[in-house]
Amino acid sequence: MTTPPPHLAAADRYESHAYRRCGRSGLRLPAVSLGLWHNFGDDKPIETQRAILRHAFDRGVTHFDLANNYGPPYGSAERNFGRIFRDDFRPYRDELVISTKAGYDMWPGPYGEWGSRKYLLASLDQSLARMGLDHVDIFYSHRFDPETPLEETMGALATAVQSGRATYAGISSYSAERTREAAGLLRQMGVPLLIHQPSYSMLNRWVEHGDPSLLDVLEDEGVGCIAFSPLAQGMLTDRYLDGIPEDSRAAQGKSLDPGLLSEQALAHVRRLHEVAQGRGQSLAQLALAWVLRDPRVTSVLIGASSVAQLDDNLAVLDRLEIADEELAAIEQDAIDSGINLWSASSDA
C-alpha cells in the first residue's frame, strides 16, 4: 500500500473550536479532545484511523491522548499513531498536545505495571520510541500504586519533565486526598501538577463526592481536569435505548458489562435522551455538554470509530449552555450506575 500524500491541515481549523485554560497553567486544551483507547489498535484499518485523526485536527482538536497499553495488542495504538504522525502531523508538532500514560499492565514480570520509577521511565522511553517522538506534552501516572511510595512515583514524573521527555506531569484516577499529596510532592520537586484525568459522566459522578471532592481539590491546587468516559462507555448514546445491539461494546464484552444495562438503568438513560431531544441534541452531545458545564473541567475525552461519529460528538460545541430547568431535569436521572471500573484506584 502506498503512503497517501502528507496532510494539508484546514486553514480554518482554529475558528470553531473552544479552548479552555488547564487549571492555573498557561496551557489551553480543546474543550473536546480525542482519546485513542479504542479504535486505534491493529484490529482497525490504518486508513480509518488516519481519516479520523486528520479530520479531528481540521476541526481544531489539538489534543490526542494515548497510553502505553492501548490497542489491541498493547502498544499498537502508539505505534499506529506514530506512523500517522510521521506521515501527516510532523510539520504541525508544535500545534499538538500529545499525552501518554503508564500504570496498568504492559509487559510480563514485576517491572511491567504500577508506579515504580523503573516501570514509569522505561515505559515512557518505549512510548516515545513507538511514536517516533523526542517528548510527549503530558506524561501521566495512570493509576495510584498503594505499594510504592508516592514520592517515588511523583519523582519519576518529575524526572520525565526535567529530562525533557515530557513537558507536563499528570495523574489519572487518583482520589482527592492522594491528588493533594501528589500536587504537594511535585511542587516540592519544582514540577507543578498540570492535570488530572478522572472518569466522569452523568452516570459516574464520583469526582463530585466527598468533602473536599476531587473537583474541589483540583480547583484549590490549580490543576486542570480532563474527563474520560464522559459517555459512560457508550451507555449515554443512542446505542442502547432499545436493547443491546450485537455489534456493541456491551455485546462484545468491551469495557461495558451487559448487566449494567438493566431496565431500571435504561429508564434513566431514556429520560435523559428525552431532555436531549428537547434541546435538539443527541444524548451523547447532551452528556458531553453536561460534563463541560463545570468550569473546573478543562476538556472531555471522546473516542471515535468514524469521521461521522467524531462530527456528531463535536457538534456539542454548537450548544454548550444548559438552562437551570434542564439541569434540574437531568439531576433526576443522572444517577451513579455502577459504571466506574476504576474505583479501586481512586478509593485507595
Side-chain angles (χ1 to χ4, degrees):
M1 180 182 297
T2 59
T3 301
H7 184 50
L8 181 61
D12 62 351
R13 58 189 176 277
Y14 294 116
E15 293 181 9
S16 60
H17 209 107
Y19 299 89
R20 296 155 70 117
R21 188 163 301 281
C22 190
R24 288 195 290 268
S25 77
L27 184 69
R28 289 191 297 161
L29 294 177
V32 180
S33 299
L34 182 63
L36 278 65
W37 179 18
H38 298 292
N39 304 310
F40 289 85
D42 289 347
D43 58 337
K44 302 294 183 181
I46 192 73
E47 292 313 314
T48 301
Q49 300 178 33
R50 186 187 304 276
I52 294 169
L53 288 166
R54 284 182 170 191
H55 192 68
F57 187 52
D58 284 348
R59 292 289 310 273
V61 178
T62 54
H63 177 31
F64 299 145
D65 179 74
L66 300 103
N68 55 359
N69 62 356
Y70 287 178
Y74 289 175
S76 60
E78 289 183 328
R79 186 174 61 251
N80 291 333
F81 174 79
R83 174 181 167 184
I84 297 167
F85 172 85
R86 181 194 66 221
D87 295 339
D88 286 325
F89 294 108
R90 191 168 295 281
Y92 306 104
R93 175 64 183 96
D94 292 334
E95 297 184 42
L96 295 175
V97 174
I98 301 170
S99 59
T100 196
K101 318 175 198 70
Y104 285 96
D105 171 55
M106 181 60 193
W107 63 81
Y111 318 121
E113 64 176 325
W114 292 105
S116 73
R117 180 180 182 86
K118 178 173 177 60
Y119 170 55
L120 292 180
L121 294 178
S123 180
L124 176 56
D125 288 340
Q126 291 179 19
S127 292
L128 294 174
R130 280 190 291 269
M131 291 188 283
L133 302 175
D134 60 7
H135 74 284
V136 292
D137 297 284
I138 307 171
F139 181 52
Y140 288 91
S141 166
H142 207 164
R143 62 171 167 172
F144 175 71
D145 180 353
E147 296 186 357
T148 295
L150 193 57
E151 293 88 343
E152 179 175 342
T153 301
M154 294 304 104
L157 295 185
T159 295
V161 172
Q162 292 162 344
S163 66
R165 287 176 276 182
T167 307
Y168 297 102
I171 58 176
S172 180
S173 299
Y174 278 52
S175 68
E177 178 184 1
R178 298 302 185 187
T179 296
R180 195 182 292 283
E181 289 180 38
L185 288 166
L186 283 168
R187 191 179 301 114
Q188 293 171 21
M189 299 171 189
V191 176
L193 178 62
L194 173 78
I195 195 166
H196 188 297
Q197 186 175 135
S199 60
Y200 183 34
S201 73
M202 289 193 287
L203 304 182
N204 175 18
R205 302 179 63 171
W206 74 273
V207 301
E208 303 172 7
H209 302 160
D211 186 19
S213 69
L214 176 61
L215 287 174
D216 292 334
V217 170
L218 297 181
E219 182 178 28
D220 187 48
E221 295 286 344
V223 175
C225 175
I226 182 167
F228 76 90
S229 288
L231 304 183
Q233 289 89 268
M235 280 185 70
L236 292 171
T237 69
D238 299 344
R239 292 282 278 163
Y240 301 104
L241 295 176
D242 299 314
I244 303 177
E246 290 184 5
D247 61 345
S248 65
R249 280 194 203 177
Q252 298 171 7
K254 292 183 177 179
S255 73
L256 180 57
D257 182 354
L260 296 173
L261 298 170
S262 66
E263 267 307 307
Q264 181 180 12
L266 290 177
H268 291 298
V269 171
R270 291 181 186 119
R271 285 193 289 270
L272 293 170
H273 175 66
E274 291 174 2
V275 176
Q277 284 187 311
R279 289 167 48 84
Q281 286 184 316
S282 69
L283 176 55
Q285 290 160 5
L286 173 64
L288 297 175
W290 183 87
V291 173
L292 287 167
R293 83 199 185 286
D294 193 314
R296 295 171 294 185
V297 176
T298 310
S299 182
V300 289
L301 272 170
I302 62 166
S305 59
S306 67
V307 168
Q309 186 182 51
L310 175 66
D311 273 337
D312 181 69
N313 286 334
L314 289 177
V316 68
L317 298 170
D318 297 332
R319 189 173 182 192
L320 287 173
E321 73 285 351
I322 305 177
D324 288 345
E325 59 270 23
E326 292 172 326
L327 286 172
I330 290 168
E331 192 68 21
Q332 304 304 309
D333 293 291
I335 307 297
D336 279 304
S337 300
I339 202 78
N340 188 359
L341 305 178
W342 307 271
S343 60
S345 179
S346 56
D347 289 344

